[in-house]
Amino acid sequence: MAKRIVIDPITRIEGHLRIECEVDKGKIVNAWSAGTMWRGIEKILEGRDPREAWIFTQRICGVCTTVHAITSVRAVENALKLEVPMNAQYIRNMIIAAHGIFDHIVHFYHLSALDWVDIVSATKADAKATAKLAQSLSPWPHNSHGNIKGIQDKLKSFIATGQLGVFGSGYWGHPAMKLSPEVNLLAATHYFQALDYQRRINKVVAILGSKSPHIQNLAVGGVSNPINPDSQSTLTLERLFYIKELIDEIGAFINDVYMVDVSAVGAFYADWTQYGAGVTNYLSVPDMPQDTTGTLFDLPGGYIPNGDVGKFENIDSFGADLFKNNVKESVKHSWYEGEWDRHPWEEETVPKYAERQDDGKYSWVKSPTFKGKPAQVGPLANVLAMFAAGHGPTKKHATRVLDLVSQLAGTKVGLGALHSTIGRHAARAIRCAVLNDVLQKQWQGLVDNIGAGDYTTFNEPVFPKGEIRGVGFHEAPRGVLSHWVVIEDGRIKNYQCVVPSTWNAGPRNQNDELGPYEASLIGNPVADPEKPLEVLRTIHSFDPCLACAIHMLDSDRNEIVKVRTVI
């Protein structure tokens, strides 16, 4: 008889996701993914000025702090058919790339590596042997015996206090943990180093965006960064060259540490290339626009049905019909009024909670589809699309990772291995390296454009009478993010956010097909239902973030709740 297990919350830093599974004979045979809080940002935006929507939407999340702002201004610009100056495109692109790098590093080291790395085992390692292993894999200068021994001593003293903090909830000693103490110590060393490097690359976001989290420099029509080489209070060459220094530093960490660590984990856990594929319809969107109208991009995107990269369909512009006409969301299994399946411009946001039912409504997350089918989004979808499109940097970094995994595993590992739980981690590392290449290119583009005498950063929007509609999309760290806006007489009439974790965490759709999280769990092994580490591995490989969740509003503007913190 199947055993039902429930993990709630399943996310490490942001906990509105509940996973239920049925396990029979050591394998998962059924699964349900449920968002347990309501996102009401759409209701808050009704009737507001479209120029201020980005300020509200970026507060959806404290992790994805730039992505909703970028997507929101793109949606309004799309509705107005408003061009964006090249300097603004370059500045936005640099923020996007820096934020993506920051997010991917944090995800691997601080949000999911602990599913594969046994921190307690690292204290038993031979530090000298660990340093020798590390130096055989990479020229990273901080792989010395002294650095590694220092981290091991810090871990021992930390554990001796008995207060494990973020390490307290790990399944240490679980039979599914396979790494040797030396490999565990190496990964733990880089865990601590990654804390510093994610901070450094986030400085790029803060310098260009004036603040992080939640940038302050965006505007419908461009950015608010003034450019004047003769004024120290603007975006000067001094600041730009400091940004270049930060980009170079993070590039070394990505190439010499992150990609090597992911390859090593992938090689030691090669059996996990057989689990977690789930939905293999992949959707991504192009990004890093290289013109003022959004028709030329540095990073391609598109749709791949049934995992067949030979059937890749390119999305070629911000206004592409392929994307605009094929997105729908269903609420058949979600806690909203009705059982409709609609295009985002035609949706409504009317919550209606009921008792949870396996075959009925069981989640606050809606269920998106592309061309009527569920689709997986995220770095894996993006890397496969860029690979299919013949994107040079993607092919270079993907080849390097797959060759290194093959060398360490002692067997040839090809692109097909990416359709898996561990493959999503490899794809994220590949995309991180691609983003660093792109960041370098955007920096040079901005410097050259300023050098050519172009200081423009803003085109003023003008709102017509009557109704206009727009969609903005962005390839965010967790995948395709789109905002859909209907504007009437200069005010927001309808606003819908279709976010990456909605694509992946969505419940069963209008045709009762499983969402990507749910489908990816089917067939996963579970050695101990009381310690379902394997479920965490597959769900965390998507980088779930359900923060696009709850906001409370009283239309009469009364105070709803007061929270008092006592220290």
Side-chain angles (χ1 to χ4, degrees):
M1 183 177 176
K3 179 181 177 64
R4 175 77 66 113
I5 58 176
V6 179
I7 306 177
D8 182 11
I10 195 168
T11 46
R12 269 211 166 81
I13 62 167
E14 198 290 313
H16 308 134
L17 178 64
R18 171 188 177 101
I19 295 291
E20 293 191 38
C21 301
E22 285 183 351
V23 181
D24 190 20
K25 299 175 182 175
K27 288 192 174 182
I28 295 172
V29 295
N30 209 346
W32 294 264
S33 167
T36 57
M37 285 189 174
W38 177 53
R39 185 193 69 216
I41 193 78
E42 290 90 345
K43 301 296 291 181
I44 295 174
L45 290 174
E46 288 176 4
R48 292 190 180 273
D49 188 326
R51 291 173 297 182
E52 61 185 27
W54 69 272
I55 300 170
F56 287 85
T57 58
Q58 73 169 336
R59 264 78 183 181
I60 283 177
C61 184
V63 181
C64 316
T65 58
T66 66
V67 301
H68 288 286
I70 294 279
T71 310
S72 179
V73 293
R74 285 179 174 175
V76 180
E77 288 159 0
N78 179 259
L80 295 172
K81 296 182 172 51
L82 180 64
E83 293 193 29
V84 177
M86 274 317 301
N87 285 331
Q89 298 284 41
Y90 287 132
I91 289 171
R92 290 181 184 181
N93 290 346
M94 290 171 67
I95 290 173
I96 288 169
H99 176 72
I101 292 168
F102 150 80
D103 200 283
H104 291 335
I105 290 173
V106 168
H107 171 260
F108 178 68
Y109 285 100
H110 308 125
L111 302 183
S112 65
L114 299 180
D115 298 337
W116 310 89
V117 175
D118 191 330
I119 289 290
V120 176
S121 162
T123 63
K124 301 170 186 172
D126 180 334
K128 285 185 178 177
T130 302
K132 185 178 179 181
L133 170 67
Q135 290 160 18
S136 72
L137 294 173
S138 163
W140 181 240
H142 305 299
N143 279 341
S144 67
H145 171 247
N147 281 334
I148 290 173
K149 185 69 168 61
I151 293 294
Q152 188 180 40
D153 290 343
K154 183 183 291 186
L155 271 177
K156 286 179 178 176
S157 62
F158 191 57
I159 291 172
T161 66
Q163 298 180 8
L164 294 178
V166 294
F167 302 133
S169 59
Y171 291 138
W172 315 127
H174 192 284
M177 292 284 195
K178 290 185 177 180
L179 301 182
S180 68
E182 283 69 32
V183 177
N184 281 320
L185 177 56
L186 180 57
T189 300
H190 294 160
Y191 175 104
F192 285 98
Q193 292 175 357
L195 288 169
D196 181 36
Y197 282 89
Q198 59 86 24
R199 179 185 60 82
R200 294 190 197 190
I201 194 60
N202 218 7
K203 285 184 180 179
V204 175
V205 178
I207 292 169
L208 294 174
S210 304
K211 177 177 173 291
S212 183
H214 301 136
I215 54 177
Q216 297 295 303
N217 69 317
L218 287 191
V220 172
V223 294
S224 61
N225 304 72
I227 296 175
N228 181 351
D230 298 323
S231 172
Q232 285 298 310
S233 60
T234 66
L235 184 57
T236 61
L237 286 178
E238 181 184 9
R239 285 189 175 90
L240 284 171
F241 276 96
Y242 180 55
I243 288 172
K244 180 68 166 61
E245 183 180 320
L246 294 168
I247 296 170
D248 291 340
E249 288 177 354
I250 199 67
F253 182 83
I254 292 167
N255 286 291
D256 295 341
V257 182
Y258 182 18
M259 294 186 76
V260 175
D261 285 348
V262 166
S263 300
V265 170
F268 285 113
Y269 287 103
D271 53 327
W272 275 86
T273 60
Q274 305 302 311
Y275 306 119
V279 173
T280 55
N281 302 316
Y282 295 105
L283 178 66
S284 66
V285 289
D287 217 318
M288 308 291 173
Q290 298 299 293
D291 62 7
T292 60
T293 57
T295 59
L296 179 66
F297 300 91
D298 235 7
L299 299 181
Y303 181 60
I304 298 173
N306 301 315
D308 185 349
V309 295
K311 295 182 178 177
F312 169 69
E313 297 178 68
N314 185 47
I315 296 173
D316 60 4
S317 73
F318 278 150
D321 287 342
L322 175 61
F323 185 80
K324 192 168 58 180
N325 296 339
N326 287 296
V327 176
K328 279 189 173 182
E329 288 194 298
S330 165
V331 297
K332 181 178 179 181
H333 295 283
S334 308
W335 287 310
Y336 295 92
E337 185 79 40
E339 293 194 357
W340 45 259
D341 181 32
R342 295 178 182 171
H343 186 281
W345 281 330
E346 308 300 331
E347 288 186 28
E348 59 189 18
T349 307
V350 183
K352 186 177 182 182
Y353 182 75
E355 284 297 315
R356 184 198 174 282
Q357 296 176 316
D358 280 356
D359 297 325
K361 292 177 180 278
Y362 60 90
S363 176
W364 282 112
V365 179
K366 297 174 183 175
S367 182
T369 53
F370 191 77
K371 290 190 168 185
K373 303 294 291 182
Q376 180 181 155
V377 304
L380 174 56
N382 191 212
V383 165
L384 291 175
M386 294 193 290
F387 196 95
H391 187 245
T394 301
K395 287 199 162 187
K396 178 185 72 174
H397 292 300
T399 300
R400 183 189 171 209
V401 165
L402 292 172
D403 285 351
L404 186 52
V405 173
S406 300
Q407 176 191 335
L408 294 171
T411 185
K412 182 65 177 175
V413 177
L415 193 66
L418 296 183
H419 303 283
S420 64
T421 295
I422 201 74
R424 275 186 282 275
H425 287 291
R428 191 170 287 105
I430 293 165
R431 185 171 188 271
C432 193
V434 171
L435 286 176
N436 186 248
D437 290 353
V438 169
L439 186 48
Q440 296 272 10
K441 186 177 176 182
Q442 305 308 306
W443 182 89
Q444 191 63 56
L446 177 61
V447 170
D448 291 347
N449 212 44
I450 294 172
D454 181 1
Y455 302 158
T456 307
T457 58
F458 176 69
N459 291 330
E460 185 175 357
V462 178
F463 290 86
K465 286 289 184 184
E467 183 179 296
I468 54 175
R469 297 181 172 200
V471 55
F473 59 64
H474 163 40
E475 187 63 29
R478 290 169 182 80
V480 176
L481 169 64
S482 59
H483 286 196
W484 306 75
V485 62
V486 179
I487 302 168
E488 186 174 67
D489 296 335
R491 291 281 163 177
I492 295 174
K493 181 180 179 182
N494 192 7
Y495 201 101
Q496 296 293 329
C497 308
V498 185
V499 309
S501 288
T502 305
W503 282 99
N504 290 332
R508 287 151 172 78
N509 65 15
Q510 198 73 7
N511 299 319
D512 299 327
E513 296 169 293
L514 273 60
Y517 284 1
E518 296 171 336
S520 69
L521 288 169
I522 305 302
N524 272 216
V526 176
D528 181 357
E530 300 300 320
K531 297 178 179 178
L533 174 63
E534 298 89 342
V535 178
L536 302 186
R537 284 178 173 174
T538 289
I539 296 299
H540 288 171
S541 72
F542 286 92
D543 193 5
C545 184
L546 272 288
C548 310
I550 189 165
H551 303 267
M552 289 187 286
L553 169 72
D554 186 319
S555 58
D556 296 327
R557 300 185 184 278
N558 294 319
E559 184 176 276
I560 298 174
V561 65
K562 179 181 286 185
V563 178
R564 178 167 176 252
T565 303
V566 179
I567 301 176

